[in-house]
């Protein structure tokens, strides 16, 4: 079981995405890399977690964990998603709708939102990946 957030958790998520039969449809026409920042919160996550992901030939490449959110500035990802740990946890548990989270500015997303909106029809892929990820959360560890 992998802990969210961690490199191991991201690697498992990428593996499950790449194995999903709907991946090639969802990836068709996708352009750009993605940076994700899980902001620290007292008592829940001690320091920010930052990951950068690229796609190539309709496959997600292994994730690259970075030391600091500022490290993404050099990479200039086409997309950047940033939110506090508790918001990401709610998204992963399914208690917060991703569209609602963006609209209510609980998660900040930068990039071509139309490309993201076009892929909302592939929500089942994300649901399957999250269902297959055995996750323990950083704030629940002993």
């Amino acid at each position: 079981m992998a802990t969210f957030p961690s490199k191991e958790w991201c690697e498992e998520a990428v593996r499950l995405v790449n194995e999903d039969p709907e991946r090639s449809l969802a990836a068709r026409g996708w352009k750009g890399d993605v940076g994700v920042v899980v902001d620290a919160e007292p008592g829940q996550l001690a320091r920010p977690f930052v990951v950068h992901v690229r796609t190539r030939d309709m496959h997600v490449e292994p994730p690259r964990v970075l030391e600091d959110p500022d490290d993404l500035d050099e990479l200039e990802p086409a997309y950047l998603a940033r939110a506090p740990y508790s918001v990401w946890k709610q998204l992963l548990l399914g208690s917060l709708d991703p569209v609602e989270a963006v609209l209510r500015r609980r998660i900040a997303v930068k990039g071509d939102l139309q490309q993201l909106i076009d892929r909302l029809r592939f929500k089942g892929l994300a649901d399957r990946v999250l269902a297959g990820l055995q996750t323990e959360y950083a704030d629940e560890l002993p």
Side-chain angles (χ1 to χ4, degrees):
M1 185 175 304
T3 300
F4 175 82
S6 68
K7 181 177 183 181
E8 294 74 25
W9 188 91
C10 293
E11 288 171 342
E12 181 64 5
V14 165
R15 183 185 71 75
L16 291 170
V17 166
N18 283 334
E19 289 178 356
D20 193 280
E22 200 174 35
R23 175 213 16 95
S24 61
L25 288 174
R28 187 171 293 138
W30 176 265
K31 294 182 178 107
D33 54 337
V34 178
V36 175
V37 178
V38 180
D39 283 316
E41 289 185 281
Q44 294 185 21
L45 185 65
R47 53 181 303 224
F49 180 81
V50 185
V51 65
H52 180 250
V53 180
R54 293 183 188 272
T55 58
R56 184 178 9 189
D57 300 326
M58 295 193 291
H59 279 83
V60 182
E61 294 182 349
R64 181 175 164 202
V65 175
L66 306 172
E67 288 296 314
D68 187 270
D70 292 339
D71 293 341
L72 286 172
D73 292 342
E74 292 176 27
L75 299 172
E76 297 180 352
Y79 293 90
L80 176 62
R82 186 173 191 153
Y85 168 80
S86 60
V87 172
W88 287 111
K89 183 177 177 182
Q90 290 173 37
L91 289 167
L92 295 173
L93 292 171
S95 61
L96 179 62
D97 179 74
V99 175
E100 180 182 329
V102 171
L103 292 175
R104 292 182 180 223
R105 296 186 178 156
R106 297 196 60 204
I107 181 170
V109 178
K110 294 180 182 175
D112 177 10
L113 293 182
Q114 187 59 50
Q115 187 169 222
L116 297 177
I117 291 167
D118 291 345
R119 279 164 180 75
L120 285 176
R121 67 178 189 246
F122 298 108
K123 186 180 179 308
L125 188 156
D127 292 342
R128 287 188 299 278
V129 167
L130 293 177
L133 268 169
Q134 301 224 347
T135 303
E136 58 187 359
Y137 295 92
D139 63 320
E140 297 175 4
L141 296 175

